[in-house]
């Protein structure tokens, strides 16, 4: 049999000279999507994920009446009891692994595990219930994790302006407060890119300090 010196032929771990170098795997980056109950976290993850998102939804029953309030203008019938998970490839060098937190306070014990290793977070806000996102803002401020406040424009509308939400939450000036629509991929993508910018800014500051 004649030997075929193909440029793609690999023997063990040796590569024929002239063969293209193997592509490097993209850098994994963990991002958190957090906020109160029913603000649109599961919708956010589902809108942007390039895979079928992993969700841990449980049906809401009459037992939750008076405990879980999804808001007046919602058809929400389920609730996240552990986490949501999705994936987004930014380019050949960067891939986001997106984890959505449960919104109810009784599941808050899971946050430490979900947030471990994350580089940034998007705190989703419903302007009809701004106070529901206080725990998430406080958590990331204490943890020192870069975060962005994202006002979910339900039906394309906001009850308050961006400046009014910033004032109500009393977040630092270096924390971006933006509006986005959790239903639309492009809008969620733009919000997550702001989170990445915040994470990069922190990394640069730590390297230069």
């Amino acid at each position: 049999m004649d030997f075929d010196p193909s440029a793609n032929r690999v023997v063990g771990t040796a590569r024929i000279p002239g063969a293209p170098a193997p592509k490097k795997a993209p850098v994994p980056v963990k991002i958190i999507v957090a906020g109160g109950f029913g603000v649109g976290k599961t919708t956010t993850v589902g809108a942007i994920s390039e895979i079928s998102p992993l969700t841990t939804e449980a049906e809401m029953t009459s037992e939750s009446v008076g405990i879980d309030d999804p808001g007046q203008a919602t058809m929400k019938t389920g609730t996240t009891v552990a986490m949501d998970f999705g994936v987004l490839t930014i380019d050949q060098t960067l891939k986001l692994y997106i984890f959505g937190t449960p919104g109810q306070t009784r599941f808050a014990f899971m946050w430490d595990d979900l947030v471990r290793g994350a580089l940034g977070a998007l705190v989703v806000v419903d302007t009809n219930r701004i106070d529901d996102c206080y725990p998430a803002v406080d958590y990331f401020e204490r943890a020192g994790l870069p975060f962005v406040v994202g006002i979910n424009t339900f039906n394309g509308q906001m009850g308050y302006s961006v400046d009014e939400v910033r004032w109500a939450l009393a977040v630092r000036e270096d924390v971006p407060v933006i509006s986005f629509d959790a239903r639309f991929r492009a809008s969620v993508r733009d919000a997550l890119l702001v989170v990445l910018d915040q994470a990069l800014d922190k990394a640069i500051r730590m390297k230069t300090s």
Side-chain angles (χ1 to χ4, degrees):
M1 174 182 291
D2 293 335
F3 173 70
D4 178 17
S6 170
N8 294 322
R9 184 172 182 271
V10 178
V11 180
T13 58
R15 185 171 295 274
I16 300 299
K23 293 182 179 179
K24 292 183 179 180
V27 175
V29 174
K30 185 177 183 181
I31 297 294
I32 301 298
V33 176
F37 175 62
V39 296
K41 300 182 298 297
T42 299
T43 301
T44 298
V45 175
I48 196 65
S49 179
E50 64 194 32
I51 65 171
S52 296
L54 168 66
T55 61
T56 54
E57 289 267 308
E59 184 178 357
M60 295 171 60
T61 67
S62 59
E63 296 296 326
S64 67
V65 175
I67 300 175
D68 297 331
D69 178 16
Q72 296 179 355
T74 181
M75 300 298 291
K76 186 176 178 68
T77 60
T79 180
T80 300
V81 296
M83 67 174 185
D84 300 312
F85 174 73
V87 176
L88 173 64
T89 301
I90 299 296
D91 54 32
Q92 294 182 349
T93 64
L94 190 65
K95 177 173 285 191
L96 302 188
Y97 293 90
I98 307 163
F99 290 79
T101 65
Q104 301 95 319
T105 55
R106 64 180 179 277
F107 296 127
F109 67 91
M110 299 189 61
W111 279 45
D112 288 342
D113 289 334
L114 288 175
V115 172
R116 186 175 295 115
L119 294 187
L122 175 66
V123 177
V124 184
V125 176
D126 177 356
T127 54
N128 292 316
R129 297 181 299 164
I130 293 178
D131 55 341
D132 286 355
C133 77
Y134 288 153
V137 170
D138 290 343
Y139 182 94
F140 294 122
E141 286 183 338
R142 290 196 305 269
L145 188 71
F147 69 96
V148 173
V149 174
I151 305 168
N152 188 4
T153 56
F154 288 92
N155 300 317
Q157 299 178 350
M158 293 195 305
Y160 299 94
S161 69
V162 169
D163 289 339
E164 287 173 327
V165 172
R166 176 182 292 279
W167 178 85
L169 295 177
V171 293
R172 303 186 312 271
E173 286 298 323
D174 61 330
V175 175
V177 179
I178 62 174
S179 63
F180 81 109
D181 194 318
R183 301 169 298 173
F184 300 118
R185 179 181 178 87
S187 187
V188 175
R189 176 204 61 201
D190 292 345
L192 292 179
L193 288 177
V194 179
V195 177
L196 284 177
D197 284 342
Q198 286 296 100
L200 178 60
D201 287 345
K202 180 180 180 180
I204 292 174
R205 290 196 303 270
M206 292 180 63
K207 185 176 181 179
T208 58
S209 62

